[in-house]
Structure formats: structure tokens, C-alpha cells
Amino acid sequence: MRRSPERTAHGMCLLLWRVAWTPLSVRQRYSTDARVARPERSDGRGFQSSTTTPFLMVRACHPSRGRAAVARQPASARLWTTTFFPTDKLNSANDGGLSQASALQGWLADGTWNVPATGLHWLGGSLVFDYVAGAYLSCWAVLYSIIYYVEPGMPTFSISQLLEIGSRVLIAAGVPANDAATVAQELADANAVGHDSHGVMRLMQYIDGIKKGFIKPGVPVEVVKTGGAFTVIDAHFNFGQVAAMLALEKGVAQARAAGTATVMIRNCNHVGRLGSYSQKTAMLGLASAMAVNAPGPGGVAPYGGVERRLGTNPISMSAPWGSSALVLDMTTSATAEGKLRVAFQKGESVPEGLIIDASGNPTTDPATFYAEPGGSILPLGGSMGFKGFGLSVMIDVFAGMFSGSGVCRTDLPRGANGVWMYFIDIDQFIGRDEFDSLLAKYVDVLKATKKLPGITEILMPGEIELRREQERRANGVAIPDETWRQITELATSLGASLE
């Protein structure tokens, strides 16, 4: 992980100071072995040590955990990188360089390292530890100008790799190829825009749903009722993404014919990121409003309550914005359940004000949500949480009751959805050109607002996702180690190859 300029400068000073008295030593070479146990780290970046060897230079490559070609960067990106690492961060005994090498060797073998590839040497899977002279280190430091500590990072994937991983796992679980492609695309696209809570981490949930009979791959999605400007769809518990794409197709066609259209989906599984469908609508030149409820068990407490009674009940609205889209995509709860899952798998805490434990006490530990008994997510709004609660109740009415999916059902798993979609053909109201002009003026006025200290720009709804997508499509998506471990184990259990 690249360090900040301030810490880099500090590292440079530290290096040059140490170089002045670094003794000549010998070069030692050791081969990596993924079976070496990973030493404990005291701070996530380095090791404690009582050794006196002043400095260690390490050349290390990005290892290929799981040997999965589609699951790692290409070989051209797994070049050896050079890193300066002070040995007072190594956790080793006072028995010389061998224990240091073994400790660091095991650490490297168990991690992926986000340090930029310099293409220095390809050493065929080995580590080279050079105790070198101060003059050599000084020249090296001046040449590269940047100091990195060795730091662990998460495995990184391209969007196409995530799509391939999702497709292979789903097909291995018996999902028809076309449906698997639809679901995998939605998961990968969610990762692309930064909504990792709705990305490939959902594969485990989906395959578990198939095994338990809640998700029924390949079952036909049925249009049960239709009129000039409405459609009711029964997904028959096929994948929610498959049903939602059919609903989008029907709604857009009807709105273009009638000016507006309403589509409801019942008996539907998790649709994924709701904003994906509203964004697609905007890119087709229409505006939309969509909402999803949880007809089965929810994870959100009513305002003033402690027990889970509501779903996160997201809402999304969209409109065309030049060649892009203006997209609001939010839950009516303080956070999405998937974001808790991401934090839980990373071993991180969450901000205050999002969840309570089973006794109603505020907490920042996402593990309390998954405990038994589990805690609850709070409604959106903090001390004004009755507003988020009110929105959630009305989404249960529109998306749950009107669709026929229902509410308070005990025969469904967490993650089932009732869906409401509303489409507007802008051209049949004020005309696209006039709308574009109004929106452009509106955005300019908002962005020209005098800003608070520390704020450099006013961002429109969905704009941060657009920027994240550009960055992630260029640089890839980092997946938490625990998520990747679960995916590889799942693939192995299904006989899916990720080579």
C-alpha cells in the first residue's frame, strides 16, 4: 500500500540516517513456501523485534494465492518489487538473519502486497534478502526517491475477472448460462461502482439459497397481469436480477408507449443493487423511481424499537444527465446489511449510530448483528429516525403489499424482495432538450455553492459512483481476504475451476 508523502519523507530520512552506519553484509537467498505459518503482526504493517541488524531490503513478488489465474493480476503485473524495510519491525529471535528471513518469508507467502511493480528482477518465486552497504542503499534511495514499508493488501481483480468468477461459480451450482451471466454481471458492476456490499461477496448467500431451495434457478419468470401502462411479474423465486431485467424491459417499452409505466414483481429473490436498474433506465433516456421491500425477515428495528421488523427497504430514483445519469440509490435504514457484512469480513468497526445490539445498546461492532441473538440496524435519520422509518413503512406498502409479495412473512429467507418500478418518458412531458437544459443549469447552480472549509466540490447523486467506476475499471477491485477465501472454498466445493 502506497504511503502518504509525509510518511514517505519520514521513511527517506530514516533510511538515510540508518544508511550512514549500515555495515557490509552478505547476500542470502531463500525460496518462498506458502506452507510457512504467518507471523503475528502488532500493527498490521510490521513486526516487533529485538534484533540489531539495522536495515533489510526485500524484493518480493505478488504471490498467487489459490493459483487462480482469473483471480489474480496477470503475470506481467506480478513483477518483483523492491522495498526497504527496517529490521526493527521484524519479529524474530536473536539468532541472525535466518530467523528474520523465515519470519518474513512466511508473512510474504501468506499475503498480497500492493506495492508498485518496478520490474527489477524476475526470480521465479524466491525472496532475496540483501544486507547491503550504505553507499548502495543511498544510491538506490536517490534513484527511486520513494520509500515503502512492506504492507499487506487485499487481492485485486479486474471487472472482467470478477464477472468470470461469478459466472463460473453460478454455472457450477446449476444456474443456466444466460441467467448466470445476468447475475454475475450485476455483481461485478456493483463492485465496479464501489458497492461491494452487493458485489461478488453475495455469491455465498446465493449458492446457500439454491441449496436450501429458496432460489430456483431456471424457473420461468412469468408476466401474470399487464395493461397499457402496468405489468405484474411473478419471479417464482428465480434470481431477482433475472426478474428485474425483465421488469426493466417491460417498463421501458410501456412508458415509451403510454408516457409512464408501473411494474411490480412478486415472489422475487434479492435483486442486487437497485440503483443499477434505475441507472440503466436513465441511460435509455427515461426517468425512474424504484423501491424494494423485504417481505420476509428483516434486519431493521422500527423507530424506538429494539427487535428486527423491517427490511433495509432501499429506494432509487434516476434521470438522464448529459451522456451519463443522475442516480439516487439509498436505503431507508442507517446502512445496508451488506455494508455490515463487508466490515465484518474485514474485521473492521462501523461508524456510530448505525446499529444496536440485541439489548438495544449502541455499538460499532458488526459482529453483534450476526450474533445469536442478533442486533438490529437503525432507521435512517439518527435522532430524526422516524423519517427513515416512515419511508420504510410506505415502501412496504408500495413494493410489498401492492406487488403481492407481502409483509411479515415467515416462509421466506432474509433477502427476498418485493419490487416496485415506475418509469417516465421525459419526451412526452417537457421534451428531452428542455429537460437537459434545466438540469444543466440546476447542476451548475448547486456546484457553484460556497463551500464549507475542507470541502472542494459539491457532488451530485451518483457522481461518486461514476468516479469510482472509472478508477476501478482502470485499477481493479480489491476484495477482502476473508471474502476471497470463502469464494475459493465455495468454488472448490462446487467443482468450479478458477484457473
Side-chain angles (χ1 to χ4, degrees):
M1 188 177 297
R2 190 181 294 271
R3 297 175 74 83
S4 67
E6 294 80 4
R7 296 175 75 183
T8 296
H10 173 76
M12 175 67 79
C13 293
L14 177 63
L15 171 65
L16 295 178
W17 177 74
R18 287 175 179 243
V19 159
W21 54 274
T22 299
L24 286 169
S25 189
V26 296
R27 171 175 294 186
Q28 300 180 20
R29 176 169 177 160
Y30 306 91
S31 62
T32 56
D33 184 348
R35 293 171 296 175
V36 177
R38 182 176 189 170
E40 292 295 324
R41 281 165 294 179
S42 61
D43 62 358
R45 294 192 301 276
F47 301 128
Q48 303 281 325
S49 176
S50 58
T51 60
T52 58
T53 308
F55 224 91
L56 183 66
M57 189 182 77
V58 180
R59 295 192 188 119
C61 76
H62 300 279
S64 181
R65 186 197 313 238
R67 310 290 187 219
V70 300
R72 305 307 249 168
Q73 300 172 355
S76 60
R78 295 199 300 272
L79 298 176
W80 289 78
T81 55
T82 294
T83 298
F84 295 109
F85 190 80
T87 56
D88 61 4
K89 296 295 186 181
L90 284 174
N91 185 14
S92 62
N94 289 316
D95 57 354
L98 180 60
S99 63
Q100 295 179 5
S102 299
L104 187 58
Q105 170 185 346
W107 190 37
L108 289 170
D110 192 50
T112 300
W113 309 94
N114 290 332
V115 286
T118 62
L120 294 175
H121 298 284
W122 183 264
L123 298 177
S126 67
L127 298 180
V128 177
F129 296 84
D130 293 329
Y131 292 87
V132 294
Y136 179 73
L137 277 174
S138 298
C139 292
W140 197 262
V142 172
L143 176 64
Y144 282 92
S145 303
I146 297 175
I147 303 305
Y148 298 95
Y149 288 154
V150 177
E151 294 192 29
M154 296 181 287
T156 300
F157 306 84
S158 69
I159 304 304
S160 61
Q161 287 173 332
L162 293 178
L163 175 60
E164 182 69 15
I165 291 167
S167 295
R168 292 189 184 190
V169 169
L170 290 165
I171 289 172
V175 180
N178 288 342
D179 289 355
T182 296
V183 176
Q185 187 69 65
E186 289 300 314
L187 298 181
D189 286 348
N191 283 123
V193 299
H195 288 253
D196 297 331
S197 58
H198 289 67
V200 293
M201 67 174 294
R202 292 283 177 173
L203 286 170
M204 284 69 75
Q205 173 189 341
Y206 291 170
I207 302 307
D208 184 62
I210 293 173
K211 292 177 179 178
K212 292 179 177 178
F214 292 122
I215 298 178
K216 305 180 186 300
V219 172
V221 178
E222 179 187 6
V223 175
V224 296
K225 190 180 297 185
T226 188
F230 78 93
T231 296
V232 179
I233 293 173
D234 192 328
H236 293 295
F237 294 108
N238 196 337
F239 277 96
Q241 291 89 342
V242 174
M245 288 302 294
L246 176 62
L248 177 64
E249 175 187 338
K250 297 292 185 183
V252 167
Q254 287 184 321
R256 283 177 170 161
T260 66
T262 299
V263 181
M264 302 284 187
I265 310 176
R266 63 179 61 154
N267 298 326
C268 183
N269 279 302
H270 187 247
V271 300
R273 184 175 75 95
L274 185 61
S276 172
Y277 310 106
S278 61
Q279 182 177 12
K280 288 181 174 67
T281 302
M283 297 304 291
L284 292 171
L286 283 74
S288 68
M290 304 179 181
V292 165
N293 93 313
V300 182
Y303 181 71
V306 173
E307 298 175 317
R308 302 176 179 186
R309 289 292 184 269
L310 303 159
T312 56
N313 290 10
I315 184 169
S316 183
M317 303 177 73
S318 71
W321 181 18
S323 60
S324 187
L326 199 67
V327 180
L328 169 71
D329 184 14
M330 54 173 274
T331 60
T332 53
S333 57
T335 186
E337 181 274 330
K339 295 188 186 301
L340 296 181
R341 191 177 306 187
V342 169
F344 179 57
Q345 291 187 355
K346 288 183 177 180
E348 298 175 350
S349 61
V350 297
E352 295 180 356
L354 303 185
I355 55 176
I356 54 177
D357 64 21
S359 299
N361 301 307
T363 180
T364 60
D365 182 4
T368 61
F369 183 81
Y370 300 102
E372 186 60 44
S376 299
I377 302 173
L378 294 170
L380 179 68
S383 62
M384 305 286 282
F386 57 86
K387 295 186 177 183
F389 169 60
L391 280 171
S392 186
V393 167
M394 296 311 298
I395 287 174
D396 270 333
V397 172
F398 275 69
M401 299 180 191
F402 293 165
S403 70
S405 274
V407 293
C408 306
R409 292 176 62 172
T410 59
D411 60 329
L412 296 177
R414 182 176 297 114
N417 288 158
V419 184
W420 166 58
M421 297 181 172
Y422 181 66
F423 303 87
I424 300 173
D425 184 2
I426 300 169
D427 274 329
Q428 298 194 48
F429 287 83
I430 65 170
R432 178 62 186 273
D433 290 342
E434 183 178 355
F435 168 76
D436 287 345
S437 177
L438 286 171
L439 183 58
K441 178 180 179 181
Y442 181 58
V443 171
D444 287 344
V445 169
L446 293 178
K447 285 183 171 288
T449 302
K450 184 177 179 180
K451 301 164 188 66
L452 290 169
I455 302 298
T456 59
E457 184 180 7
I458 304 297
L459 295 177
M460 299 302 292
E463 194 169 7
I464 193 169
E465 284 83 356
L466 294 174
R467 296 184 183 182
R468 283 176 182 157
E469 182 172 14
Q470 291 175 348
E471 189 275 330
R472 287 187 167 201
R473 289 195 181 277
N475 300 320
V477 179
I479 300 298
D481 286 334
E482 176 60 18
T483 300
W484 179 237
R485 183 192 67 77
Q486 292 180 18
I487 290 174
T488 54
E489 286 187 359
L490 177 64
T492 299
S493 71
L494 295 171
S497 173
L498 298 183
E499 294 293 336

PDB file of all heavy atoms in Angstrom, residues 85-108:
ATOM      1  N   PHE A  85      12.847  -2.116   4.278  1.00  0.00           N
ATOM      2  CA  PHE A  85      12.092  -2.454   5.477  1.00  0.00           C
ATOM      3  C   PHE A  85      13.025  -2.470   6.675  1.00  0.00           C
ATOM      4  O   PHE A  85      13.965  -3.265   6.710  1.00  0.00           O
ATOM      5  CB  PHE A  85      11.450  -3.826   5.293  1.00  0.00           C
ATOM      6  CG  PHE A  85      10.467  -4.162   6.363  1.00  0.00           C
ATOM      7  CD1 PHE A  85       9.179  -3.656   6.332  1.00  0.00           C
ATOM      8  CD2 PHE A  85      10.834  -4.986   7.421  1.00  0.00           C
ATOM      9  CE1 PHE A  85       8.286  -3.977   7.321  1.00  0.00           C
ATOM     10  CE2 PHE A  85       9.932  -5.300   8.401  1.00  0.00           C
ATOM     11  CZ  PHE A  85       8.658  -4.794   8.352  1.00  0.00           C
ATOM     12  N   PRO A  86      12.814  -1.589   7.653  1.00  0.00           N
ATOM     13  CA  PRO A  86      13.693  -1.575   8.823  1.00  0.00           C
ATOM     14  C   PRO A  86      13.526  -2.842   9.635  1.00  0.00           C
ATOM     15  O   PRO A  86      12.414  -3.220   9.969  1.00  0.00           O
ATOM     16  CB  PRO A  86      13.234  -0.350   9.607  1.00  0.00           C
ATOM     17  CG  PRO A  86      11.828  -0.113   9.156  1.00  0.00           C
ATOM     18  CD  PRO A  86      11.747  -0.589   7.739  1.00  0.00           C
ATOM     19  N   THR A  87      14.615  -3.483   9.975  1.00  0.00           N
ATOM     20  CA  THR A  87      14.516  -4.770  10.646  1.00  0.00           C
ATOM     21  C   THR A  87      14.063  -4.665  12.079  1.00  0.00           C
ATOM     22  O   THR A  87      13.788  -5.679  12.701  1.00  0.00           O
ATOM     23  CB  THR A  87      15.868  -5.512  10.597  1.00  0.00           C
ATOM     24  OG1 THR A  87      16.865  -4.660  11.164  1.00  0.00           O
ATOM     25  CG2 THR A  87      16.235  -5.867   9.180  1.00  0.00           C
ATOM     26  N   ASP A  88      13.963  -3.459  12.617  1.00  0.00           N
ATOM     27  CA  ASP A  88      13.410  -3.378  13.965  1.00  0.00           C
ATOM     28  C   ASP A  88      11.904  -3.608  13.943  1.00  0.00           C
ATOM     29  O   ASP A  88      11.257  -3.650  14.964  1.00  0.00           O
ATOM     30  CB  ASP A  88      13.732  -2.041  14.640  1.00  0.00           C
ATOM     31  CG  ASP A  88      13.167  -0.848  13.885  1.00  0.00           C
ATOM     32  OD1 ASP A  88      12.459  -1.050  12.886  1.00  0.00           O
ATOM     33  OD2 ASP A  88      13.454   0.283  14.318  1.00  0.00           O
ATOM     34  N   LYS A  89      11.328  -3.776  12.716  1.00  0.00           N
ATOM     35  CA  LYS A  89       9.922  -4.129  12.605  1.00  0.00           C
ATOM     36  C   LYS A  89       9.724  -5.635  12.463  1.00  0.00           C
ATOM     37  O   LYS A  89       8.618  -6.111  12.340  1.00  0.00           O
ATOM     38  CB  LYS A  89       9.296  -3.436  11.391  1.00  0.00           C
ATOM     39  CG  LYS A  89       9.280  -1.918  11.477  1.00  0.00           C
ATOM     40  CD  LYS A  89       8.407  -1.419  12.601  1.00  0.00           C
ATOM     41  CE  LYS A  89       8.289   0.094  12.598  1.00  0.00           C
ATOM     42  NZ  LYS A  89       7.464   0.590  13.690  1.00  0.00           N
ATOM     43  N   LEU A  90      10.823  -6.392  12.378  1.00  0.00           N
ATOM     44  CA  LEU A  90      10.705  -7.831  12.214  1.00  0.00           C
ATOM     45  C   LEU A  90      10.598  -8.522  13.558  1.00  0.00           C
ATOM     46  O   LEU A  90      11.310  -8.201  14.493  1.00  0.00           O
ATOM     47  CB  LEU A  90      11.913  -8.388  11.459  1.00  0.00           C
ATOM     48  CG  LEU A  90      11.930  -8.144   9.949  1.00  0.00           C
ATOM     49  CD1 LEU A  90      13.248  -8.635   9.381  1.00  0.00           C
ATOM     50  CD2 LEU A  90      10.766  -8.834   9.285  1.00  0.00           C
ATOM     51  N   ASN A  91       9.701  -9.497  13.644  1.00  0.00           N
ATOM     52  CA  ASN A  91       9.507 -10.258  14.866  1.00  0.00           C
ATOM     53  C   ASN A  91      10.338 -11.529  14.773  1.00  0.00           C
ATOM     54  O   ASN A  91       9.891 -12.530  14.260  1.00  0.00           O
ATOM     55  CB  ASN A  91       8.027 -10.585  15.030  1.00  0.00           C
ATOM     56  CG  ASN A  91       7.746 -11.260  16.345  1.00  0.00           C
ATOM     57  OD1 ASN A  91       8.596 -11.250  17.223  1.00  0.00           O
ATOM     58  ND2 ASN A  91       6.563 -11.834  16.473  1.00  0.00           N
ATOM     59  N   SER A  92      11.570 -11.469  15.227  1.00  0.00           N
ATOM     60  CA  SER A  92      12.419 -12.647  15.131  1.00  0.00           C
ATOM     61  C   SER A  92      13.300 -12.740  16.369  1.00  0.00           C
ATOM     62  O   SER A  92      13.493 -11.790  17.106  1.00  0.00           O
ATOM     63  CB  SER A  92      13.280 -12.571  13.866  1.00  0.00           C
ATOM     64  OG  SER A  92      14.128 -11.441  13.942  1.00  0.00           O
ATOM     65  N   ALA A  93      13.858 -13.896  16.548  1.00  0.00           N
ATOM     66  CA  ALA A  93      14.750 -14.125  17.693  1.00  0.00           C
ATOM     67  C   ALA A  93      16.139 -13.611  17.369  1.00  0.00           C
ATOM     68  O   ALA A  93      16.443 -13.240  16.248  1.00  0.00           O
ATOM     69  CB  ALA A  93      14.783 -15.618  18.006  1.00  0.00           C
ATOM     70  N   ASN A  94      17.002 -13.588  18.394  1.00  0.00           N
ATOM     71  CA  ASN A  94      18.361 -13.104  18.205  1.00  0.00           C
ATOM     72  C   ASN A  94      19.263 -14.203  17.646  1.00  0.00           C
ATOM     73  O   ASN A  94      20.307 -14.523  18.208  1.00  0.00           O
ATOM     74  CB  ASN A  94      18.935 -12.602  19.536  1.00  0.00           C
ATOM     75  CG  ASN A  94      18.282 -11.318  19.953  1.00  0.00           C
ATOM     76  OD1 ASN A  94      18.104 -10.433  19.134  1.00  0.00           O
ATOM     77  ND2 ASN A  94      17.925 -11.217  21.225  1.00  0.00           N
ATOM     78  N   ASP A  95      18.845 -14.833  16.557  1.00  0.00           N
ATOM     79  CA  ASP A  95      19.681 -15.886  16.003  1.00  0.00           C
ATOM     80  C   ASP A  95      20.089 -15.559  14.578  1.00  0.00           C
ATOM     81  O   ASP A  95      20.315 -16.444  13.761  1.00  0.00           O
ATOM     82  CB  ASP A  95      18.959 -17.235  16.057  1.00  0.00           C
ATOM     83  CG  ASP A  95      17.621 -17.184  15.328  1.00  0.00           C
ATOM     84  OD1 ASP A  95      17.223 -16.092  14.898  1.00  0.00           O
ATOM     85  OD2 ASP A  95      17.010 -18.251  15.188  1.00  0.00           O
ATOM     86  N   GLY A  96      20.136 -14.272  14.242  1.00  0.00           N
ATOM     87  CA  GLY A  96      20.687 -13.898  12.950  1.00  0.00           C
ATOM     88  C   GLY A  96      19.642 -13.795  11.871  1.00  0.00           C
ATOM     89  O   GLY A  96      18.449 -13.868  12.095  1.00  0.00           O
ATOM     90  N   GLY A  97      20.153 -13.632  10.643  1.00  0.00           N
ATOM     91  CA  GLY A  97      19.278 -13.341   9.515  1.00  0.00           C
ATOM     92  C   GLY A  97      18.356 -14.469   9.133  1.00  0.00           C
ATOM     93  O   GLY A  97      17.322 -14.252   8.538  1.00  0.00           O
ATOM     94  N   LEU A  98      18.717 -15.717   9.454  1.00  0.00           N
ATOM     95  CA  LEU A  98      17.885 -16.829   9.019  1.00  0.00           C
ATOM     96  C   LEU A  98      16.495 -16.766   9.626  1.00  0.00           C
ATOM     97  O   LEU A  98      15.496 -16.966   8.958  1.00  0.00           O
ATOM     98  CB  LEU A  98      18.557 -18.161   9.381  1.00  0.00           C
ATOM     99  CG  LEU A  98      17.775 -19.418   8.967  1.00  0.00           C
ATOM    100  CD1 LEU A  98      17.585 -19.416   7.452  1.00  0.00           C
ATOM    101  CD2 LEU A  98      18.521 -20.674   9.403  1.00  0.00           C
ATOM    102  N   SER A  99      16.397 -16.458  10.931  1.00  0.00           N
ATOM    103  CA  SER A  99      15.081 -16.373  11.556  1.00  0.00           C
ATOM    104  C   SER A  99      14.299 -15.194  11.001  1.00  0.00           C
ATOM    105  O   SER A  99      13.089 -15.255  10.832  1.00  0.00           O
ATOM    106  CB  SER A  99      15.223 -16.240  13.072  1.00  0.00           C
ATOM    107  OG  SER A  99      15.892 -15.045  13.414  1.00  0.00           O
ATOM    108  N   GLN A 100      14.999 -14.105  10.726  1.00  0.00           N
ATOM    109  CA  GLN A 100      14.321 -12.961  10.114  1.00  0.00           C
ATOM    110  C   GLN A 100      13.787 -13.343   8.749  1.00  0.00           C
ATOM    111  O   GLN A 100      12.648 -13.056   8.402  1.00  0.00           O
ATOM    112  CB  GLN A 100      15.292 -11.788   9.980  1.00  0.00           C
ATOM    113  CG  GLN A 100      15.779 -11.225  11.290  1.00  0.00           C
ATOM    114  CD  GLN A 100      16.753 -10.089  11.072  1.00  0.00           C
ATOM    115  OE1 GLN A 100      16.990  -9.678   9.950  1.00  0.00           O
ATOM    116  NE2 GLN A 100      17.310  -9.590  12.149  1.00  0.00           N
ATOM    117  N   ALA A 101      14.627 -13.997   7.970  1.00  0.00           N
ATOM    118  CA  ALA A 101      14.205 -14.388   6.629  1.00  0.00           C
ATOM    119  C   ALA A 101      13.026 -15.337   6.680  1.00  0.00           C
ATOM    120  O   ALA A 101      12.061 -15.196   5.933  1.00  0.00           O
ATOM    121  CB  ALA A 101      15.379 -15.050   5.900  1.00  0.00           C
ATOM    122  N   SER A 102      13.065 -16.307   7.595  1.00  0.00           N
ATOM    123  CA  SER A 102      11.986 -17.275   7.700  1.00  0.00           C
ATOM    124  C   SER A 102      10.681 -16.607   8.096  1.00  0.00           C
ATOM    125  O   SER A 102       9.613 -16.909   7.577  1.00  0.00           O
ATOM    126  CB  SER A 102      12.348 -18.361   8.714  1.00  0.00           C
ATOM    127  OG  SER A 102      13.503 -19.046   8.311  1.00  0.00           O
ATOM    128  N   ALA A 103      10.777 -15.680   9.066  1.00  0.00           N
ATOM    129  CA  ALA A 103       9.572 -14.999   9.522  1.00  0.00           C
ATOM    130  C   ALA A 103       8.956 -14.171   8.409  1.00  0.00           C
ATOM    131  O   ALA A 103       7.757 -14.246   8.122  1.00  0.00           O
ATOM    132  CB  ALA A 103       9.899 -14.111  10.721  1.00  0.00           C
ATOM    133  N   LEU A 104       9.798 -13.365   7.753  1.00  0.00           N
ATOM    134  CA  LEU A 104       9.277 -12.517   6.694  1.00  0.00           C
ATOM    135  C   LEU A 104       8.831 -13.338   5.503  1.00  0.00           C
ATOM    136  O   LEU A 104       7.841 -13.029   4.850  1.00  0.00           O
ATOM    137  CB  LEU A 104      10.348 -11.511   6.262  1.00  0.00           C
ATOM    138  CG  LEU A 104       9.883 -10.444   5.255  1.00  0.00           C
ATOM    139  CD1 LEU A 104       8.704  -9.661   5.839  1.00  0.00           C
ATOM    140  CD2 LEU A 104      11.032  -9.501   4.919  1.00  0.00           C
ATOM    141  N   GLN A 105       9.545 -14.439   5.253  1.00  0.00           N
ATOM    142  CA  GLN A 105       9.192 -15.328   4.162  1.00  0.00           C
ATOM    143  C   GLN A 105       7.776 -15.864   4.351  1.00  0.00           C
ATOM    144  O   GLN A 105       6.963 -15.871   3.438  1.00  0.00           O
ATOM    145  CB  GLN A 105      10.202 -16.469   4.138  1.00  0.00           C
ATOM    146  CG  GLN A 105       9.877 -17.626   3.214  1.00  0.00           C
ATOM    147  CD  GLN A 105      10.888 -18.729   3.392  1.00  0.00           C
ATOM    148  OE1 GLN A 105      11.937 -18.520   3.984  1.00  0.00           O
ATOM    149  NE2 GLN A 105      10.594 -19.896   2.901  1.00  0.00           N
ATOM    150  N   GLY A 106       7.451 -16.331   5.570  1.00  0.00           N
ATOM    151  CA  GLY A 106       6.115 -16.838   5.832  1.00  0.00           C
ATOM    152  C   GLY A 106       5.070 -15.762   5.720  1.00  0.00           C
ATOM    153  O   GLY A 106       3.960 -15.977   5.230  1.00  0.00           O
ATOM    154  N   TRP A 107       5.411 -14.561   6.177  1.00  0.00           N
ATOM    155  CA  TRP A 107       4.480 -13.429   6.097  1.00  0.00           C
ATOM    156  C   TRP A 107       4.156 -13.106   4.651  1.00  0.00           C
ATOM    157  O   TRP A 107       3.018 -12.942   4.259  1.00  0.00           O
ATOM    158  CB  TRP A 107       5.117 -12.240   6.796  1.00  0.00           C
ATOM    159  CG  TRP A 107       4.219 -11.082   7.014  1.00  0.00           C
ATOM    160  CD1 TRP A 107       2.895 -11.087   7.325  1.00  0.00           C
ATOM    161  CD2 TRP A 107       4.589  -9.706   6.970  1.00  0.00           C
ATOM    162  NE1 TRP A 107       2.417  -9.813   7.481  1.00  0.00           N
ATOM    163  CE2 TRP A 107       3.447  -8.951   7.273  1.00  0.00           C
ATOM    164  CE3 TRP A 107       5.777  -9.049   6.723  1.00  0.00           C
ATOM    165  CZ2 TRP A 107       3.468  -7.565   7.317  1.00  0.00           C
ATOM    166  CZ3 TRP A 107       5.799  -7.677   6.777  1.00  0.00           C
ATOM    167  CH2 TRP A 107       4.650  -6.947   7.064  1.00  0.00           C
ATOM    168  N   LEU A 108       5.214 -13.024   3.812  1.00  0.00           N
ATOM    169  CA  LEU A 108       5.001 -12.710   2.411  1.00  0.00           C
ATOM    170  C   LEU A 108       4.225 -13.799   1.701  1.00  0.00           C
ATOM    171  O   LEU A 108       3.393 -13.529   0.835  1.00  0.00           O
ATOM    172  CB  LEU A 108       6.344 -12.493   1.709  1.00  0.00           C
ATOM    173  CG  LEU A 108       7.091 -11.216   2.075  1.00  0.00           C
ATOM    174  CD1 LEU A 108       8.499 -11.260   1.497  1.00  0.00           C
ATOM    175  CD2 LEU A 108       6.347  -9.999   1.587  1.00  0.00           C
TER     176      LEU A 108
END
